[in-house]
Amino acid sequence: MSSLPSQLAARIESVTGVDPELRPATKPQFGHFQSNVALRLAKSQGRPPREIASDIVAKLEADDLVETPDIAGPGFINFRLRSDVLAGVASALISDPHAGIVQAEAPQRVVIDYSAPNVAKQMHVGHLRSTIIGDCFNRVLTAQGHTVIPQNHIGDWGTQFGMLVQYIVEHHVDVSVLDLPAAEQLYKDSKKEFDADEDFADRARRRVVALQSGDEETLATWRSLIAVSLAGFNATYARLGIKLTDEDLAGESTYNDDLPKVVAELKADGLAVEDAGALCVFVEGEDAPMIVQKKDGGFGYDATDLAAIRRRVGALDADRIIYVTDVRQHHHFDMVFKVARLAGFLPEDVTAEHVGYGMVLGPDGHPFKTREGGTVSLNSLLDEAEEHAAPNIALAAIKYADLSNGLQKDYVFDAERMVQTTGDTGPYLQYAHARVSQILRKAAAQIDPGVDPQADLSAMDWGAVTVIEEPAEQQLALLLSRFGEVVEVVAADLTPHKLCTYLYDLAGAYSSFYEKCPVLKSEGEVRASRLALCAATRRVIGTGLELLGIDAPDRM
């Protein structure tokens, strides 16, 4: 169900033929919303605005939503939502198994490509955003009833593995005893030798051929490197609270057998043509072609990404494909989507979207680097945040900072500021959830002194919202009614910052309600109703935080 403001706007538009552009009323005595639609129609209709406003009010069929509208000033129309309607919406949130999240009428199969670390390298600051953003999309779309298929396109193939395996063989390294940081040091050492010793570089290139040819000794070492890497990745995912498992892996190597087929199909369709020894696809409007097979016979990222789309549509039955990578890769994916459409790998009824994200900057406003100028590991960022707060608070701070601005924007990683429980931060929202939980816990103890202090508050019967006369109560209920609609927008437009803004506004409305409308000190039906309103607020804040991948603590 759409929010109350949207329902009201639709009713008014059915009378006027134009968007009423509802705005919040400036003062409680004017109701909840105001529209200047009559003034905007006056010129085209050649009538006084107040006359038009009177006609709109007379024709409007919204008695089930609002009290009789008032006409003010030169022709503004003021609308006041019915208190019983506000109460009913808030009450429904307590028991609704979906907490107000509208379930998709036509659930889709959605493939989300995110995280994608490289084997034998620690996850770094660049993987932070892809992983957190992709996980949020996973949670939001799953909550709507879609089938989400995560794809972790890890970098597990290429010439660097010939170099690594050759180094391991020649230096008799026991890969099984390594952890991921040690494997990354191994990569650095092998790269150093590769650059300094041409004979070693030649042997490493021959090792690449052995790997691609299926040499069992080479494959065994390669698999060991992957096992070490996955252990490190999974430990980081667990620390981040990310919903990725080994079942979601779809590394570059898994597409190897498909690459010749992709090129063969492109050639058969007349799309791939030879140019300077390479096979290329020329796309109208593009300055340069896509190279699907290099002149030495090798395949690059373009061919792999085409193979991935081909499989995701053909084998995974995707209706929607979402890629979460650095914003600088936008042109690459735009080109891949165009070629995939031309080739028939990506039918018109399947949507493909690239969600680009900006950089993580240090407190100095420059790209985050180590003191030596190297790449900052993701775990070191988590360590830094945990120097200022408990792990769940630190993680909330990081995720909220990542998701609360437009994704394409860069943001500054300032751990000390991000963990604050005041202002627009993740910990502030956690504190709001803990605050409302504390009130409900105290109320439960007053009702039944023997109640377990650790009892699940969401499992208790908080009754219904029945009395909702104070402006602060009504504003809180009104915001609660918007939750499902906000989630719909986030799912459609892939804009998690809108959910962050909504939750921040909701926490502020709850704070105002708490200050102006005593809960535990009120009595009778008013007290019971306000407790139910608290329970509805707790439900929505907790569900919203879960969609962001943030813990919702009952105590802080």
Side-chain angles (χ1 to χ4, degrees):
M1 180 183 293
S2 59
S3 69
L4 294 177
S6 293
Q7 292 179 55
L8 176 58
R11 303 279 187 94
I12 301 170
E13 187 169 350
S14 69
V15 174
T16 63
V18 297
D19 182 355
E21 298 181 5
L22 292 178
R23 296 290 184 267
T26 54
K27 295 181 180 180
Q29 59 264 35
F30 297 150
H32 297 112
F33 297 101
Q34 186 178 71
S35 173
N36 68 352
V37 65
L39 282 77
R40 287 187 281 120
L41 291 173
K43 185 175 181 179
S44 62
Q45 294 188 11
R47 294 194 294 155
R50 285 188 68 91
E51 183 180 317
I52 296 173
S54 296
D55 285 350
I56 293 172
V57 171
K59 295 176 182 178
L60 181 64
E61 296 181 359
D63 293 348
D64 56 329
L65 291 178
V66 296
E67 299 173 4
T68 302
D70 297 323
I71 301 173
F76 293 103
I77 308 175
N78 295 328
F79 299 93
R80 184 182 299 276
L81 293 164
R82 288 173 42 168
S83 59
D84 62 322
V85 173
L86 287 168
V89 170
S91 294
L93 290 168
I94 303 173
S95 57
D96 180 0
H98 304 296
I101 298 174
V102 181
Q103 298 302 285
E105 293 183 5
Q108 294 182 315
R109 291 175 62 83
V110 185
V111 171
I112 308 178
D113 184 321
Y114 62 105
S115 195
N118 293 311
V119 166
K121 293 183 180 179
Q122 296 182 80
M123 294 175 70
H124 56 73
V125 64
H127 296 111
L128 177 71
R129 301 210 68 186
S130 175
T131 304
I132 289 174
I133 294 166
D135 185 66
C136 178
F137 293 164
N138 185 346
R139 292 169 184 270
V140 168
L141 291 164
T142 298
Q144 281 196 314
H146 299 292
T147 298
V148 175
I149 307 169
Q151 294 285 273
N152 195 355
H153 191 100
I154 63 172
D156 63 350
W157 201 248
T159 56
Q160 69 270 30
F161 289 99
M163 176 184 75
L164 262 169
V165 173
Q166 189 63 32
Y167 186 89
I168 288 167
V169 169
E170 293 186 8
H171 292 266
H172 309 290
V173 177
D174 184 355
V175 179
S176 66
V177 302
L178 301 179
D179 59 10
L180 187 50
E184 182 172 34
Q185 185 59 51
L186 196 68
Y187 173 85
K188 293 176 181 177
D189 293 342
S190 63
K191 181 67 167 65
K192 186 176 180 179
E193 186 161 342
F194 183 90
D195 292 339
D197 186 340
E198 186 58 39
D199 290 339
F200 174 77
D202 287 339
R203 295 193 297 274
R205 295 186 187 98
R206 290 195 293 273
R207 183 65 69 171
V208 174
V209 175
L211 177 64
Q212 295 173 340
S213 301
D215 175 68
E216 191 51 46
E217 178 190 10
T218 304
L219 284 173
T221 303
W222 172 73
R223 292 189 191 104
S224 297
L225 284 168
I226 292 176
V228 168
S229 301
L230 291 184
F233 298 159
N234 289 336
T236 301
Y237 292 144
R239 189 175 180 185
L240 282 171
I242 298 299
K243 298 174 69 174
L244 278 176
T245 70
D246 288 352
E247 293 183 1
D248 305 320
L249 290 170
E252 292 177 36
S253 64
T254 64
Y255 299 103
N256 283 335
D257 294 342
D258 294 338
L259 300 181
K261 300 174 186 176
V262 166
V263 171
E265 290 181 34
L266 292 172
K267 288 176 65 177
D269 290 340
L271 292 173
V273 296
E274 186 172 325
D275 185 73
L279 279 175
C280 303
V281 177
F282 289 84
V283 178
E284 186 177 352
E286 296 290 341
D287 294 335
M290 172 187 283
I291 300 174
V292 293
Q293 188 171 21
K294 293 177 282 188
K295 60 183 179 181
D296 63 1
F299 304 98
Y301 292 119
D302 292 330
T304 303
D305 283 332
L306 286 174
I309 288 180
R310 181 173 173 272
R311 183 185 300 177
R312 289 164 184 179
V313 172
L316 300 182
D317 296 321
D319 299 303
R320 182 182 188 186
I321 308 174
I322 301 167
Y323 291 81
V324 185
T325 73
D326 189 313
V327 69
R328 291 170 293 184
Q329 295 186 40
H330 183 75
H331 180 263
H332 164 75
F333 282 104
D334 183 55
M335 188 77 160
V336 168
F337 297 159
K338 287 178 179 177
V339 173
R341 295 275 187 213
L342 291 171
F345 301 156
L346 188 60
E348 290 301 323
D349 61 348
V350 178
T351 60
E353 302 156 86
H354 173 245
V355 179
Y357 53 81
M359 300 180 69
V360 181
L361 307 178
D364 60 358
H366 293 95
F368 223 118
K369 298 286 186 180
T370 63
R371 291 180 179 178
E372 295 75 27
T375 302
V376 177
S377 74
L378 196 158
N379 279 319
S380 68
L381 284 184
L382 297 177
D383 291 341
E384 181 181 346
E386 289 179 10
E387 291 177 3
H388 300 279
N392 67 323
I393 309 299
L395 190 55
I398 291 172
K399 289 188 176 182
Y400 191 81
D402 200 295
L403 298 170
S404 58
N405 293 301
L407 298 181
Q408 293 189 357
K409 296 179 180 178
D410 300 339
Y411 80 92
V412 174
F413 187 96
D414 185 343
E416 188 172 359
R417 177 190 59 80
M418 289 157 51
V419 300
Q420 298 300 310
T421 55
T422 57
D424 191 6
T425 67
Y428 170 71
L429 297 182
Q430 289 182 309
Y431 176 73
H433 186 272
R435 189 181 190 186
V436 68
S437 298
Q438 182 184 36
I439 291 176
L440 293 174
R441 194 164 47 248
K442 286 182 177 179
Q446 290 175 359
I447 296 169
D448 178 7
V451 68
D452 183 356
Q454 304 300 322
D456 182 4
L457 294 171
S458 60
M460 296 181 182
D461 182 6
W462 296 106
V465 181
T466 56
V467 182
I468 189 163
E469 303 298 336
E470 295 295 327
E473 291 175 308
Q474 295 185 0
Q475 182 60 28
L476 180 57
L478 185 56
L479 267 175
L480 288 171
S481 82
R482 292 187 51 230
F483 179 55
E485 191 170 77
V486 169
V487 174
E488 278 192 288
V489 171
V490 173
D493 301 340
L494 304 176
T495 47
H497 70 278
K498 293 179 181 178
L499 176 57
C500 294
T501 298
Y502 167 80
L503 292 174
Y504 179 69
D505 290 343
L506 181 62
Y510 178 77
S511 180
S512 179
F513 158 77
Y514 178 78
E515 292 172 4
K516 298 174 181 178
C517 304
V519 178
L520 298 178
K521 293 182 179 180
S522 57
E523 298 178 347
E525 188 178 2
V526 171
R527 183 179 191 274
S529 179
R530 288 177 178 173
L531 284 172
L533 189 55
C534 287
T537 303
R538 179 181 181 275
R539 182 85 195 284
V540 170
I541 292 178
T543 303
L545 286 173
E546 182 181 358
L547 295 181
L548 298 175
I550 293 175
D551 172 53
D554 283 346
R555 293 178 173 82
M556 279 183 72

